[in-house]
Amino acid sequence: MSLRTRHRSRRSLSSILGAAFLGTVLFGAVPCGAATPSAATSSEAAPSAAASSGTTGASRLDAVLSAGTLRVGTTGDYKPFTYLNPQTQAFEGIDIDLAQAMGKALGVKVEFVKTTWGTLLPDLLAGKYDIAVGGVSVTLERQKAALFSDPLMRDGKTPITLCQNKDRFQTVADIDKAGVRLIVNPGGTNEKFARANIHAAQIEVHPDNVTIFDQIIAGKADLMITDAVETRLQQKLHPELCAVHPDQPFDFSEKAFLLPRDIVLKLWVDQWLHRAVATGEYQAVVDRWLK
Ligand SMILES: O=C(O)C(=O)Cc1ccccc1
């Protein structure tokens, strides 16, 4: 099946993809019993997670608690999830606030460790951090070596281009023509999508996902194909740019936190997420960055 056909057949999914953050779609109604805000202490979370996994050995969760620090890997180049503010040198965004809230629930400090899309998984496997956050997509390559939390949102790839070119780049077939210049940030799912689907058009790699949109405005590239959530935000930040069809993306993917293969840590993170959804904490963070 061609991407074009798949795109058409996914129309019924578009209403879901429009606002597919966790809680609104993925979990639907979370059992009310989970909403006991004052019960989120580390002293009770760790043993219950260990018991339900059947694990008796040490977990990364124990290491985080005894170190008093949760080390969080993030790229800092992907609004609205993770952004390294050059003025303050502080990370900000949805996933940054969620990581801070996890640290608070565990009673530990949060230390952010900068990484890149290409080194996100190797740095996790090398033990440079305990969790990676910031709009991370669930992929088989990552699942082969690591674990993911429950999904945070659904999304998919869609073009963003100068508004005057919007009609030119509706389908992958429209884009994949000699002379078209597609720009991608390296090492993540955008480059992977481009290499798998674009053969006749030119693929230009731009190392910085923050300044990549200025390249399109400056006429150095014709378009980017990226996550619909990013196109929705970037068209607001750059009025010259238009997301092509963010409600009907070319493919389907999920965002989640990336974790080492440590089931106790994963269970704690998932239970914390369910609680954050049930209490409204999760939605409050999303609204802070997207409203
Ligand atoms: O590799 C991933 O998980 C990504 O989602 C990469 C990415 C980075 C920046 C914008 C869109 C996707």
Side-chain angles (χ1 to χ4, degrees), residues 27-42:
F27 284 137
V30 172
C32 299
T36 318
S38 60
T41 62
S42 56

Side-chain angles (χ1 to χ4, degrees), residues 2 43 52 73 89 128 162 167 186 209 241 268:
S2 74
S43 56
S52 54
Q89 281 303 306
K128 292 189 184 170
L162 289 176
D167 293 344
N209 192 51
L241 299 180
W268 185 83

Side-chain angles (χ1 to χ4, degrees), residues 157-226:
K157 300 296 180 198
T158 205
I160 181 165
T161 185
L162 289 176
C163 293
Q164 69 225 43
N165 289 337
K166 203 175 155 182
D167 293 344
R168 273 179 67 199
F169 301 127
Q170 289 288 313
T171 65
V172 169
D174 290 344
I175 295 163
D176 195 17
K177 287 183 179 153
V180 172
R181 298 160 306 159
L182 173 70
I183 195 161
V184 294
N185 59 313
T189 52
N190 286 346
E191 184 176 11
K192 205 169 164 206
F193 183 91
R195 304 260 175 235
N197 295 291
I198 301 298
H199 310 289
Q202 188 183 323
I203 300 175
E204 286 175 26
V205 177
H206 182 77
D208 180 6
N209 192 51
V210 173
T211 56
I212 199 164
F213 302 94
D214 301 324
Q215 300 290 304
I216 304 171
I217 294 167
K220 304 232 168 81
D222 296 310
L223 77 154
M224 179 183 187
I225 300 177
T226 186

Side-chain angles (χ1 to χ4, degrees), residues 78 117 135-137 142 157 185 188-190 209 226-227 230 255:
Y78 187 5
W117 290 105
V136 180
S137 297
R142 292 168 180 158
K157 300 296 180 198
N185 59 313
T189 52
N190 286 346
N209 192 51
T226 186
D227 294 327
E230 182 169 50
K255 301 285 183 198

